Amino acid sequence: MDTQHDNALAHALAAIPGPVPPSGVIHIVIPHTNRFTVVGNHLAQHAGLSLVAIGIGVHIQSLPAGSEISIKTLAARFPEGEVKIACALRELEAHGYLRRTRVRLAKGRFATRTVFCNQPGAVLRGGVVPGAPGAPGAPVVAAAVRNPAPAPGLVREHLRATGPEPTLVPEPEPARVPEPARVTEPEPARVPEPARVTEPEPTLVTEPARVPEHIRVREPEPTAVAGARPAPIRLPAPTAPKQPRRPLPHPHALTPERRQAASALLADLRRHAVELVLSEEAVEELVPGVAAWLERDATTDAIRHALTADLPKPLRHPARLLRHRLTALLPPPLPGVHDLTAPRRAPVTPFQTCDGCERAFRSHEPGHCRDCRAPYGEAA
């Protein structure tokens, strides 16, 4: 099927005066006679607004006064969601096109007053028009606010709640003029307040200096920690001497056989743990410690396991680690054979009953006690 051509569009393009640009958009301008809205390029081509915010701003500007422009109403009208529409309205508020305030009605109800300005650059905050009598440098400020004549041309008001418009319009507007004056008045008063607060603080710090020491320690602790940082002064000074390093154990007799065995064991550690690569000087220094283990009948497997088990990662000083383990894990000497046998109990002499007085006495054979042996003529 052939492509359909729009003859009306072709005729309109042919009627454009002047040369047609080779690329880009081509405007066909047809004057409007009804149902149109004048939109400034400052909104349509705003560099700081998103495309959604520009579109919503143009839509709000095209609506008549009193139309509902809540987030739910716009979300039901357009395919964008409530989150995107809320972000666009906040963009319009940030750039001065939209302003939403809550006002209280006569019956105690609250309404949201929405004001849309088609030229936020021409209307400053507070309703002052540049170049008008109320502009900066002009003698009169409130004339542009209270004059109802230019208000319909500059501002369109949209109320969410029902209420008489003429009564609601003048109420908040005169209240906006004294508000910035009230805000600016306490600001210079608030600036010296913190200076006055900081002035008595050094006086409070100097006062407890005259109080005895037991009161000074308890009271100015919070102020001193926040300001002068006396915490390092209160901490005890690190003057406690460090414990001396325990000396490396030495055997009673360092024989050539033990020296050779200890040196070979230390040099062989790198085969079992790649971190334990020792220099010749470190091996010579640690030989007496390994010889002390060998003197106490420790096997080479036991010494190797004690030196290579659970190594820290990364290991920065292998010689220091081996020195510490040889000193701290030194086993006691093996007990001898006689030390492991149970002690023999001394023989106990049994009790006997005396044949004469029937008293108990110790003796290996029955008979008489020591007192009864003399009358009977028995030998002791």
Side-chain angles (χ1 to χ4, degrees):
M1 187 176 182
D2 295 338
T3 304
Q4 295 181 357
H5 297 279
D6 193 352
N7 295 329
L9 181 59
H11 289 294
L13 291 174
I16 295 177
V20 177
S23 61
V25 65
I26 300 175
H27 293 281
I28 300 178
V29 180
I30 301 176
H32 292 277
T33 57
N34 57 356
R35 294 182 57 82
F36 65 92
T37 302
V38 178
V39 180
N41 288 336
H42 55 82
L43 175 60
Q45 300 177 7
H46 201 288
L49 292 175
S50 62
L51 192 59
V52 179
I54 294 175
I56 292 179
V58 173
H59 174 73
I60 295 175
Q61 190 172 347
S62 65
L63 295 176
S67 300
E68 183 71 20
I69 58 169
S70 62
I71 298 177
K72 294 185 179 295
T73 303
L74 295 176
R77 170 64 177 80
F78 297 101
E80 285 76 12
E82 296 183 3
V83 177
K84 186 177 293 187
I85 292 176
C87 295
L89 292 178
R90 286 194 293 268
E91 292 182 28
L92 293 174
E93 283 184 328
H95 289 83
Y97 288 95
L98 187 67
R99 184 174 183 182
R100 292 176 291 184
T101 56
R102 291 182 62 83
V103 295
R104 187 170 183 176
L105 302 180
K107 295 183 180 180
R109 297 175 59 188
F110 287 89
T112 301
R113 178 185 297 277
T114 304
V115 179
F116 188 87
C117 179
N118 63 344
Q119 293 188 26
V123 179
L124 302 178
R125 190 180 300 274
V128 181
V129 180
V140 182
V141 176
V145 178
R146 298 179 181 178
N147 187 11
L154 295 175
V155 181
R156 292 185 180 180
E157 300 177 354
H158 307 282
L159 294 177
R160 184 177 295 180
T162 58
E165 294 181 359
T167 57
L168 290 177
V169 171
E171 290 178 1
E173 290 181 353
R176 294 174 189 170
V177 175
E179 281 178 2
R182 293 178 183 176
V183 174
T184 53
E185 289 179 358
E187 284 180 359
R190 292 177 185 175
V191 173
E193 284 182 358
R196 295 177 183 175
V197 175
T198 54
E199 289 177 1
E201 286 180 359
T203 58
L204 294 176
V205 176
T206 55
E207 288 179 0
R210 304 175 183 176
V211 185
E213 295 181 356
H214 64 281
I215 302 179
R216 275 188 295 173
V217 175
R218 295 178 182 176
E219 291 183 355
E221 280 183 358
T223 57
V225 171
R229 293 183 181 178
I233 301 176
R234 297 178 183 175
L235 292 178
T239 56
K242 295 182 180 180
Q243 295 183 357
R245 188 171 60 176
R246 296 173 58 183
L248 188 70
H250 286 71
H252 295 285
L254 185 57
T255 61
E257 292 80 6
R258 289 178 182 172
R259 176 183 289 275
Q260 183 178 1
S263 178
L265 189 146
L266 291 172
D268 187 63
L269 290 178
R270 58 187 177 184
R271 294 181 179 177
H272 304 274
V274 295
E275 298 89 348
L276 299 178
V277 179
L278 302 176
S279 62
E280 293 184 359
E281 183 180 358
V283 170
E284 290 296 330
E285 182 182 358
L286 298 176
V287 161
V290 179
W293 283 58
L294 295 174
E295 186 182 34
R296 300 191 178 193
D297 297 331
T299 62
T300 56
D301 294 337
I303 299 174
R304 186 181 298 108
H305 181 268
L307 298 180
T308 59
D310 298 332
L311 295 177
K313 295 183 184 296
L315 181 57
R316 299 181 179 178
H317 305 285
R320 294 182 184 179
L321 176 66
L322 296 181
R323 179 188 177 89
H324 171 73
R325 291 192 176 186
L326 288 174
T327 305
L329 304 179
L330 179 66
L334 288 178
V337 179
H338 299 287
D339 298 334
L340 296 177
T341 58
R344 303 180 71 180
R345 298 182 61 183
V348 179
T349 305
F351 284 99
Q352 303 292 339
T353 303
C354 180
D355 295 338
C357 62
E358 297 184 354
R359 289 187 302 179
F361 66 98
R362 289 185 179 275
S363 177
H364 294 283
E365 296 178 358
H368 295 85
C369 64
R370 182 178 301 177
D371 299 336
C372 297
R373 288 173 187 174
Y376 291 101
E378 296 181 0

